[in-house]
Amino acid sequence: MQKQLLPSFESERLLVRPRVLGDLEACLAMDRDPEVTRYIPGPWKDPQKHPNDHPNDHRNFVLARMTADYPAGLGYWSVMAKASGNKEQPEAFLGWILLLAYPEVTSEILPENADGGRVYPEGECPDRVEIGWRFARAAWGHGYAITRMKRMKPYLDHGFLELDNNTAERSMRPIALGRKNYLFMGSDRGGKSAAIAYTLIETAKLNKIDPQAWLTDVLGRIADHKINRINELLRWNYIQQS
């Protein structure tokens, strides 16, 4: 499965971005704090304090999750604190947030890969996901998780909501790429004609109609079409003739 790109989020205090290998050491240090992982089973022990344990168990455990292929829209995000008043100072690692397949739903119906993750058919996502987070002790008491939960949960509670606004941005991309051409329309009349063309094309897309096919068909029919039935050619009423 091809690795999916996850969106990033930003607020006044925080940057939430996909977790990368550069966050590995910070994740390991956070896990080794016994207060952070007190109630979480796992290979979190400090190798200097537990020399009899294999020193790479913890590292391999986290690496496997960093490099795993998750279904689209799922995975881990690192939560970074923005540097206040100093743009040159790097963001500080606070912890991570995850959206993963709910294990009780998927464990019996999907096979495991070598890293213990579930193998999904390409392009498919689980029906249910779980949200989780882990923060370093330095981030406790600042309201980072609780104050953001209200904004995170609607994506999980309402299936029609997207995790990002990529769909809206893709629909605006042609206009954004072409706006420099507005300087060379030649006249106000040319600009108005371009606006009409954009309106026709984009409303055809909104009505799930191929704009080129619709314009080709309508321009070929409109000369002989009755004026009192012109509404039949509008995008929301259009039926292509065979």
Coordinates of all heavy atoms in Angstrom, one line a residue, residues 221-233:
R221 N -27.2 22.1 -29.6 CA -28.7 22.0 -29.6 C -29.4 23.4 -29.4 O -30.5 23.5 -29.8 CB -29.1 21.1 -28.4 CG -28.7 19.7 -28.6 CD -28.8 18.9 -27.3 NE -30.1 19.0 -26.7 CZ -30.4 18.5 -25.5 NH1 -29.5 17.9 -24.8 NH2 -31.6 18.7 -25.0
I222 N -28.7 24.3 -28.9 CA -29.4 25.5 -28.4 C -30.0 26.4 -29.5 O -31.1 27.0 -29.3 CB -28.4 26.4 -27.6 CG1 -29.2 27.4 -26.7 CG2 -27.4 27.1 -28.5 CD1 -28.4 28.1 -25.7
A223 N -29.4 26.3 -30.7 CA -30.0 27.1 -31.8 C -31.4 26.6 -32.2 O -32.2 27.5 -32.6 CB -29.1 27.0 -33.0
D224 N -31.7 25.4 -32.1 CA -33.0 24.8 -32.5 C -33.9 24.5 -31.3 O -35.0 23.9 -31.4 CB -32.8 23.5 -33.3 CG -32.0 23.7 -34.6 OD1 -32.2 24.8 -35.2 OD2 -31.2 22.9 -34.9
H225 N -33.4 24.9 -30.1 CA -34.1 24.6 -28.9 C -35.2 25.7 -28.6 O -34.9 26.9 -28.8 CB -33.2 24.5 -27.7 CG -33.8 23.7 -26.5 ND1 -33.8 22.3 -26.5 CD2 -34.4 24.2 -25.4 CE1 -34.4 22.0 -25.3 NE2 -34.7 23.0 -24.7
K226 N -36.4 25.3 -28.2 CA -37.4 26.3 -28.0 C -37.1 27.2 -26.8 O -36.6 26.7 -25.7 CB -38.8 25.6 -27.7 CG -39.3 24.8 -28.9 CD -40.7 24.3 -28.6 CE -41.2 23.6 -29.9 NZ -42.6 23.0 -29.7
I227 N -37.3 28.5 -26.9 CA -36.9 29.4 -25.9 C -37.7 29.2 -24.6 O -37.1 29.4 -23.5 CB -37.1 30.9 -26.4 CG1 -36.5 31.9 -25.4 CG2 -38.6 31.1 -26.7 CD1 -35.0 31.8 -25.3
N228 N -38.9 28.7 -24.7 CA -39.7 28.5 -23.5 C -39.3 27.2 -22.8 O -39.9 26.9 -21.7 CB -41.2 28.5 -23.8 CG -41.6 27.4 -24.8 OD1 -40.8 26.8 -25.3 ND2 -42.9 27.3 -25.0
R229 N -38.4 26.5 -23.3 CA -37.9 25.2 -22.7 C -36.4 25.3 -22.4 O -35.7 24.3 -22.3 CB -38.2 24.0 -23.5 CG -39.7 23.7 -23.7 CD -40.0 22.7 -24.7 NE -39.2 21.5 -24.5 CZ -39.0 20.5 -25.5 NH1 -39.6 20.7 -26.7 NH2 -38.3 19.5 -25.2
I230 N -35.9 26.5 -22.3 CA -34.4 26.7 -22.2 C -33.9 26.1 -20.8 O -32.8 25.7 -20.7 CB -34.0 28.2 -22.3 CG1 -32.6 28.4 -22.6 CG2 -34.4 29.0 -21.0 CD1 -32.2 27.9 -24.0
N231 N -34.8 26.1 -19.8 CA -34.4 25.5 -18.5 C -34.0 24.1 -18.6 O -33.2 23.6 -17.7 CB -35.6 25.7 -17.5 CG -35.8 27.1 -17.1 OD1 -34.9 27.9 -17.2 ND2 -36.9 27.4 -16.4
E232 N -34.4 23.4 -19.6 CA -34.0 22.0 -19.8 C -32.5 21.8 -20.0 O -32.0 20.8 -19.8 CB -34.8 21.3 -20.9 CG -36.3 21.3 -20.7 CD -37.0 20.7 -22.0 OE1 -36.3 20.4 -23.0 OE2 -38.2 20.6 -21.9
L233 N -31.9 22.9 -20.5 CA -30.4 22.8 -20.8 C -29.6 23.3 -19.6 O -28.3 23.2 -19.7 CB -30.1 23.7 -22.0 CG -30.9 23.3 -23.3 CD1 -30.5 24.2 -24.4 CD2 -30.6 21.9 -23.6

